[in-house]
Each structure stands twice: as C-alpha cells, then as structure tokens.
Amino acid sequence: MPVYRDEVVVLRTHKLGEADRIVTMLSRSRGKIRAVAKGVRRTGSKFGSRLEPFMVADVQFYEGRSLDTITQAESLGSYGAEISSDYGSYTAASAMVEAADRLTESEGSLQQYLLLVGALRSLSKHEHGPRLTLDSYLLRAFSLAGWAPSFGACSRCGTEGEYSHVVVQLGGVVCDDCAPSGSPRLDADTLSLLGALLSGDWEYAEAAAEQTASRASGFTAAYAQWHLERGLRSLAHLEQDRSRG
C-alpha cells in the first residue's frame, strides 16, 4: 500500500535542501525507516518538534521509490527536552540511539524498539544514573542482537563457576582452562554489577561503588566496540563529562 503508519522512535536527522530533513527512525513493526519530512525546518512546521532525536511518535508515511515521505506525526513520548536539559542524560541517549541505529542496520525487532523507548523514558524521568542506564541498555541490546555476554558460566566451554578472566572477543568471563594467556581480570563486585545491569536488578546496581560502576562501564564500552567493529562516538563525550566531574 502507498500509505502506512507506524510507531517510531527518532534516531537521527540531517538536513535536506533548504527546508526538509531526512529522519532515521526505529519503528515498532517495520524495523529501521528513513523518510523525508518536508518543510520541517520552517518556523511554521506543524510537526517539526515531534521528529527530533529521542522523540517517540505515531507517524504516517507515503511510500516512495527511494525514500518514503512523512505526511503526519503525532507525539507519543516527548522525551527530547528533558533529556537534552541534562548533559549526562543527553550523551547517554546519544549513545543509545547510535547503538540502536547500528544494531538494526538490516532489520529491527519489536524487542529492540521497546527496549530503546523504555530506556529513553527512564532517562527523561531521571530514574537511574545516566551511565548505569546506558550500560544496562547496551548489555540488553547486544543480548537481543544475539551477542549476550556471560558473567556466570565460561563463555567458551559453558562450565559454571566463579571466574575472573574476561575476554570480550569470547563473550564475557572464561574459566582458567579457556583463558588466553594475559587475559584481563575483573573483580567479583564488578561482574555482579554487570549481571545486575543485564537482568535489571536496579536495587543492586544503584548500591554499587563508583569505582565498580566505572570498571563495569569500561567492560561494556569494550564489548560494544568489539561487536560493532568500532566504538560508539557518543561514549567519548560521556567520558569527558565524567572526567570533568
């Protein structure tokens, strides 16, 4: 059909011509969509603010040969203003949508869509610290993409145990027999925190010491960089914010 509608979360936008934008969105049922929003940069645009990054909307599209065209947009979640007012939340959200954009390159999934919307909603309400929210989101998003990290059983042989060796290339902790020579180690508290972030145990996660949370973030960033083949650019801005604090 030439006309369709879907719920979307806006990942990024870029200018097209003098008044238009190309909007990249993750949708509830169709995966990733790139479409033109005509006249959206004009002051009198009726739905420009609804198509900014981090916003969730019900959008109607007209199918085109190369790019679809947005014809209507109704707001479902206005998270952009609340997120953008806090630098830590903004940089965390930027890393989330960047990861979602790259993890859903070929096709999306309902689970990825709901995970991203929930994480952005949580950031906008300041329910948890921005970096904890981001790390939890990334670990879950990679799990949904088929790259679930292991923090309890050896990621190579599957043997259960309490291990300290971690190898991102192998998927998490590895036992002493499987650990490559010189592989790094993480302490038990950090591994427990990573497990809590993956499972959504926020009571445990928020009680973690700052140094433990920092080590968990380091693992998560390395895990993302390995599986995406290059790091998330937005993470660098988050690290700068942490260093200033």
Side-chain angles (χ1 to χ4, degrees), residues 73-142:
E74 299 296 333
S75 178
L76 296 177
S78 300
Y79 306 135
E82 290 82 358
I83 288 174
S84 298
S85 65
D86 177 74
Y87 186 77
S89 297
Y90 175 78
T91 52
S94 298
M96 288 177 185
V97 296
E98 184 183 350
D101 192 2
R102 290 163 63 181
L103 286 171
T104 57
E105 194 62 44
S106 57
E107 61 181 19
S109 72
L110 174 61
Q111 291 80 10
Q112 290 282 10
Y113 170 81
L114 294 175
L115 178 67
L116 180 58
V117 171
L120 293 175
R121 182 188 301 115
S122 179
L123 271 181
S124 72
K125 295 181 177 180
H126 308 291
E127 293 179 341
H128 314 290
R131 192 58 195 257
L132 286 177
T133 304
L134 171 61
D135 289 341
S136 179
Y137 167 78
L138 290 175
L139 292 172
R140 295 185 189 187
F142 280 105

Side-chain angles (χ1 to χ4, degrees), residues 143-226:
S143 296
L144 290 175
W147 297 316
S150 175
F151 303 122
C154 175
S155 56
R156 172 176 278 181
C157 68
T159 303
E160 294 283 346
E162 296 182 0
Y163 309 120
S164 60
H165 293 284
V166 289
V167 182
V168 295
Q169 297 90 331
L170 297 178
V173 298
V174 289
C175 66
D176 293 343
D177 292 335
C178 294
S181 177
S183 59
R185 294 175 181 266
L186 281 178
D187 60 280
D189 287 344
T190 302
L191 291 172
S192 294
L193 174 57
L194 287 165
L197 291 170
L198 181 59
S199 65
D201 185 350
W202 287 106
E203 182 177 358
Y204 185 96
E206 292 184 326
E210 177 60 31
Q211 288 186 338
T212 301
S214 180
R215 288 191 290 268
S217 292
F219 171 87
T220 304
Y223 199 77
Q225 180 174 0
W226 171 258

